[in-house]
Structures are given as C-alpha cells and as structure tokens.
Amino acid sequence: MRQVYLDNSSATSLHPKVAELMASLLKEGLANPSSLHGPGRRAKEVLEEARGRVAGLIGAKPEEIVFTSSGTEANNLAIKGMAMAYKDKGRHIITSDIEHFSVLNPLTRLEKMGFSVTKVPVDSNGVVDPAAVERAVTPETIFASIMLANGEVGTIEPIKDIAGVLKKKKVILHADAIAAAGNIPVDVNELGVGAMSLSANQFHGPSGAGALFVRNGVRVRPQIDGGVQEGGRRAGTEDLLAIAGMGKAAELAAKEMPERSNKLRSLRDALRDRLTKDVDFIHLTGHPTQRLPGSLSLCVEFVEGESVLLFLDMQGVAVTSGSACTSKALKASHVLLAMGVDAAVAQGSLHFSLGMNTTKEDVDYVAKVMPPIVDRLRQMSPLYEKVSKEVKA
Amino acid sequence: MSGPYSDKVMAHFANPHNVGELNDADGIGEVGNPACGDIMKMYIKVKDNVIVDTRFKTFGCGAAIATSSMATDLIKGKTVDDALKVTNKAVAEALGGLPKQKMHCSVLAEEAIQAAIDDYLKKTTGKGLNLKESSHEHAHEEEEGHEC
C-alpha cells in the first residue's frame, strides 16, 4: 500500500544528507565540547559549525544562538528566562490566543507566580492585530510572545509590524518561529525580534534539537542550572549529534528553500482544489494566502476528525486533527476556537502538512481516497442526515 | 502496530454492524452534543417485548462508532428489560476495553439504548423511564478539567 506522510507539522522526515552527517559523527564518536584536549576541541568544532549554520538560517550572530533539547525547551527558556531576568522591571507579559502550549503553559505557571498575562485575540483567519498588541502594553510590560506562524492552521503573523509597535514602547518581542523557521525566509534583523525559538524537526532535521535566538543585549536566566555551556544560558553537555543534524538541516533549508516552497505551494494548492471540488461542506481554516507553503488546514462538516484520520491511516495516509476526540484532553483545538470556528465544525478538523518528500502522486492518491471516506462517515452521521433531508426538501 | 484502540474496537469501527435507520422503528433515541464531538442516534424494533432489530447512526470518533456498533449487537435479541441492564462497562468490555479518555463513548452508548427504549415505552405505555438529562457532560466532568 502507498504510504503518504502528511504530518510534517508534527515532525518532518530526516533529510538524507542530515542522516549521513549524523551517522558519520556517531561512528566517529564525539567527546565533550567543553574539554580542552584534542577530542574536546574536535567536538567544539562540530558544535560551533552547527551554531554558525543555524545562525545563518535566520541572519543571527553565532553567539546569539542557544541550543536546547527541543522547540518546547526554547520557548520555556525564552518565556521563563526573560520573566526571571526582567521581573524587577515589570511583571506583565503579552501573548496571543493561538500560541502553542509550550508558550501558553509556561505563562500559566508565571501567572501563578504573580505575573499577569494579556492574551490578544485573533481574527477569523488567525491573524494577530499589531494594534491590539500595542493597546495591550502597560508600563509593567516586559515582553510579548507571539508566534511567527501557526503550525495548526498555517497562518503567518505580521511579526515585523508587531515588533515595530513594541519597539516604540521598548518592549521585547519573542517570536515562536518553530513552525516557520526553515520553511519560509526568516531574518531576525528584518523582523526586529529580541528572541526567537526554532526546532530542527520542523525543517528535516532530527527531533531532540532546538535553539533559542537571544539578541545581544537581551537577557534570559537559565532554566537548567549547572555548567557554563551555551554562554551560561543553558547548562548540560550539548547533544552534539542532534545539534550537528540541526546545523546541517538549517544549511540545507536555507539553500533549498525557494525550490522547496514553490513545490510545496503548488502541491498544497492542488490538494486543496481537488478536495474542495470533490467534497462539499469543507471549510478552509487559516489565512488564505499568508500561510506556510506546505500547510492545508480544513474542517469537514458532519464528520469527526479522528474518524477520518483513522480511515486515512488505514489507507496509508498520515494526517493530524484538532478535534476534541483526537486530543487527550478532549478539547477542540484552542486555535480553531479562538478563530471563531463553530465548536461542532471544529470536530471535523484535519491538517495536511506536506514536506520536501511529498509528490504529485501522493496528492493524487489522497484526493482519491479521501472523498469516499468522508462520504461513508457522513452516511453514518445523524447530522448529515438532517442536512441531506433539508437539501432534498 | 497497535494504536490507542484494541483490535476489536478497530474492527467495529472499520466495519460497524447495524448502521442505518429503521423506517418502522418502535423507539428512537438520540443523545450527545456535536460541540463535544459525538452524537448517537439509535433505532429499535420491538416485538413481544423483544428487540428484534436495531440500527444506529453516529457522528463521532472511532470509539463512538465502535461502541454504537457493539451496543446494537448486545441488545439485539434481548428483552427490553435485559437491554436496559446493558451497562457502559459491558459495552467497553465486549470491545476488549477502551482508552480511559474514551470511556465516555461507552456511557453515551448506554444512554442511547436507554433513550431508544424510553421512546418506545412512552409510545406504547405512555410512561417513559424517568431518564435524567444526559449524563454525558457529567461523565466528562469526573475526568479532570474536560469541557465536554
């Protein structure tokens, strides 16, 4: 059976050249980059090469890159680390309703510790209004954390404009660029962000490596205490294999980005056009044009997302859903609800995220197997029964 | 490759039994809420106090469809009184168990059976089962912090 992986927003496949580099380093065996001897210096060289490559992807200086174990850790370091570093200046933080849980949950923890958090809403396309961010600023505000792109619905946020209004008010902006970096052009200086999170597994690098860009002059208190690795901002011997993989993936992403994103866009649009033509009652979610190139997010009315996901899986197609039943917490995606998607419609949420390996044949296959699945589930659905009777009447 | 569901759940989900409607149903029960992600509608045909036929339509996840299928299997051929004794646990056990966060689907299946029988009793005797409002929401509340 054909296997079609369209869940690149959860984790991308490893780029073959990344795998090659990691395998050769695994064979070589690496010492501790903090050691002063020859093997230590060799390890340090691998670490710094990766740092330079990651910095290169986002237009940063190498010393502004702090390696972490994941995007989640990068977000935690940014949020908690800046809160701790600037708590004497103020205790107010701004964020949005559609952030990832690795931003929202650290903020909830900070609220319990006495910080206050303002969440700005989004419009029906999932876009944060820079003016709303500006209005949320108080004399107590120390920083804002707004994502560069949303991994669930694909919307790209106007981070440059948001950074602009915050700069006037001397408020630092942290951008969660985990879904964006490596997939769309990202330059920290053009955007004007003070801190930014990345994750290797979003651009065909390995899971287990993330990074936080911390602009020179911006302070973060380490959240893991110990040695003075990573400029004293993240203790613990670095996971060199994963970090080297991240560096290589960053270098390749920078080089291959125009080609990759053109291909992704055209395949994504083809899938969108086929599905909306062959299945009725589909709602596209996220911004129609300001979106990640490989992301197709939609809600299929009158069916539940997990059911579609399971049937697609039986056909070899891997996707994800933001329905309540798919989540362990039994809550529909907070992103869809924040965009004002009706709770019942949100149950039919599906996210197709294409990657560099996706082919036209994959798209044709999904466009072929999906309509009968939806039709079958709708024949079983008491909600569709009502609609089809109304349509007939 | 095992997912969150038992083989039996997956078998009932992939090929559910008794799907559809009964045009001459003696009792119809509908429970659930689309915002919570599942609605079950159950049809029963009763002859001499025995459920001789049953059908269902469900909007919901894999577990919701599988529990509907199993619930209709379990009540078919039973007397009305015996069908009322089919509990959510019995439905879940017959399916080889359900993930903890999906147990509410079996509660919904039990409620669908009761709602269909309630409708049948109201039509035939004028007196229903005195069902409390769907305990569906309630069942969720017991699991920490769930909105549905």
Side-chain angles (χ1 to χ4, degrees):
Chain A
M1 189 173 51
R2 192 176 188 94
Q3 298 295 320
V4 180
Y5 183 76
L6 297 183
D7 191 16
N8 287 281
S9 67
S10 294
T12 49
S13 59
L14 209 54
H15 194 298
K17 285 180 182 162
V18 173
E20 206 177 290
L21 172 73
M22 289 175 73
S24 81
L25 291 172
L26 183 61
K27 256 185 231 161
E28 180 188 331
L30 291 167
N32 189 325
S34 297
S35 300
L36 292 176
H37 44 60
R41 290 197 303 275
R42 162 65 184 147
K44 179 88 177 165
E45 181 187 282
V46 171
L47 177 64
E48 295 314 319
E49 182 176 39
R51 199 184 307 283
R53 286 168 167 174
V54 171
L57 176 67
I58 57 171
K61 299 187 181 86
E63 73 268 20
E64 294 173 320
I65 300 297
V66 179
F67 283 117
T68 62
S69 65
S70 59
T72 286
E73 192 197 325
N75 279 340
N76 270 265
L77 176 57
I79 306 275
K80 295 175 188 166
M82 289 201 294
M84 294 302 121
Y86 293 103
K87 66 179 190 307
D88 294 334
K89 206 178 144 221
R91 293 188 166 227
H92 177 245
I93 301 163
I94 299 167
T95 190
S96 86
D97 279 337
I98 60 160
E99 299 301 311
H100 189 264
F101 288 120
S102 58
V103 166
L104 294 177
N105 288 346
L107 287 170
T108 302
R109 189 176 292 279
L110 289 174
E111 278 183 302
K112 286 176 184 161
M113 293 165 69
F115 287 82
S116 66
V117 175
T118 301
K119 287 183 191 165
V120 295
V122 293
D123 68 12
S124 59
N125 287 327
V127 179
V128 174
D129 178 4
V133 177
E134 187 171 16
R135 283 193 299 274
V137 175
T138 75
E140 281 280 298
T141 309
I142 44 178
F143 68 90
S145 179
I146 309 283
M147 62 195 350
L148 180 48
N150 184 286
E152 270 185 59
V153 297
T155 300
I156 298 171
E157 301 297 339
I159 287 298
K160 190 179 173 180
D161 297 340
I162 294 170
V165 301
L166 289 174
K167 197 176 178 186
K168 283 189 293 177
K169 308 243 176 189
K170 296 192 166 59
V171 172
I172 303 166
L173 177 61
H174 163 253
D176 166 1
I178 291 168
N183 293 301
I184 56 172
V186 174
D187 184 296
V188 290
N189 295 317
E190 204 195 308
L191 292 174
V193 294
M196 194 174 85
S197 305
L198 291 79
S199 175
N201 73 5
Q202 297 294 303
F203 50 90
H204 301 285
S207 290
L212 182 66
F213 156 77
V214 184
R215 185 177 293 282
N216 282 336
V218 171
R219 287 179 291 136
V220 292
R221 279 271 291 278
Q223 298 304 300
I224 297 176
D225 293 312
V228 289
Q229 290 89 352
E230 299 302 302
R233 291 167 295 192
R234 201 273 189 184
T237 301
E238 293 88 348
D239 181 352
L240 267 188
L241 272 187
I243 288 169
M246 182 176 194
K248 188 70 187 170
E251 183 190 62
L252 291 162
K255 200 169 86 188
E256 297 171 4
M257 195 176 295
E259 192 191 327
R260 278 190 210 170
S261 53
N262 282 340
K263 187 185 115 175
L264 284 174
R265 242 178 239 118
S266 96
L267 289 174
R268 188 265 321 273
D269 291 351
L271 182 60
R272 178 197 61 203
D273 294 346
R274 293 276 299 273
L275 291 180
T276 48
K277 185 169 90 49
D278 293 342
V279 180
D280 52 3
F281 300 106
I282 280 189
H283 302 256
L284 298 175
T285 50
H287 197 282
T289 53
Q290 290 301 311
R291 56 184 303 109
L292 294 172
S295 161
L296 173 62
S297 169
L298 51 84
C299 292
V300 187
E301 260 194 280
F302 317 119
V303 297
E304 192 281 324
E306 190 208 73
S307 293
V308 183
L309 185 158
L310 291 171
F311 274 128
L312 283 172
D313 186 41
M314 287 179 206
Q315 303 282 340
V317 180
V319 300
T320 188
S321 164
S323 82
C325 297
T326 316
S327 80
K328 286 206 170 74
L330 296 178
K331 282 182 185 168
S333 153
H334 67 287
V335 177
L336 294 174
L337 299 182
M339 287 162 55
V341 176
D342 178 79
V345 173
Q347 300 304 340
S349 136
L350 288 171
H351 188 214
F352 302 83
S353 45
L354 289 63
M356 60 176 276
N357 297 328
T358 309
T359 62
K360 184 180 174 297
E361 287 70 28
D362 290 339
V363 167
D364 289 342
Y365 180 73
V366 176
K368 190 179 73 151
V369 300
M370 172 129 160
I373 289 172
V374 173
D375 189 49
R376 190 169 171 212
L377 285 166
R378 281 182 174 166
Q379 293 310 321
M380 244 187 257
S381 168
L383 296 173
Y384 191 64
E385 170 192 315
K386 285 171 192 161
V387 173
S388 50
K389 275 176 188 161
E390 276 167 27
V391 170
K392 274 176 207 158
Chain B
M1 229 177 24
S2 81
Y5 294 131
S6 69
D7 291 347
K8 208 145 190 192
V9 171
M10 286 308 288
H12 274 265
F13 166 66
N15 292 296
H17 307 167
N18 312 309
V19 175
E21 299 168 43
L22 284 177
N23 290 327
D24 55 348
D26 297 310
I28 303 174
E30 185 173 319
V31 294
N33 172 348
C36 288
D38 25 39
I39 297 180
M40 284 182 198
K41 191 170 181 182
M42 201 174 281
Y43 301 76
I44 53 170
K45 179 86 196 142
V46 183
K47 204 172 173 188
D48 301 330
N49 205 39
V50 172
I51 296 173
V52 291
D53 206 357
T54 171
R55 293 281 188 284
F56 81 87
K57 278 201 164 181
T58 289
F59 161 82
C61 62
I65 290 169
T67 53
S68 307
S69 168
M70 182 52 84
T72 51
D73 269 1
L74 288 176
I75 61 168
K76 207 178 202 172
K78 279 198 168 65
T79 63
V80 168
D81 288 345
D82 283 348
L84 281 173
K85 289 178 198 148
V86 173
T87 61
N88 78 301
K89 282 204 175 96
V91 175
E93 273 165 26
L95 284 167
L98 284 172
K100 194 170 164 247
Q101 77 270 22
K102 297 286 188 181
M103 279 304 284
H104 71 277
C105 292
S106 65
V107 174
L108 208 58
E110 179 188 316
E111 287 175 0
I113 297 171
Q114 291 175 354
I117 292 176
D118 179 60
D119 183 51
Y120 161 72
L121 292 175
K122 274 182 186 151
K123 279 178 184 157
T124 50
T125 67
K127 197 166 173 293
L129 285 171
N130 262 335
L131 290 180
K132 51 181 192 291
E133 275 297 295
S134 168
S135 66
H136 182 218
E137 275 94 299
H138 181 68
H140 279 290
E141 276 167 24
E142 286 167 7
E143 304 154 36
E144 291 162 39
H146 298 153
E147 274 177 352
C148 275

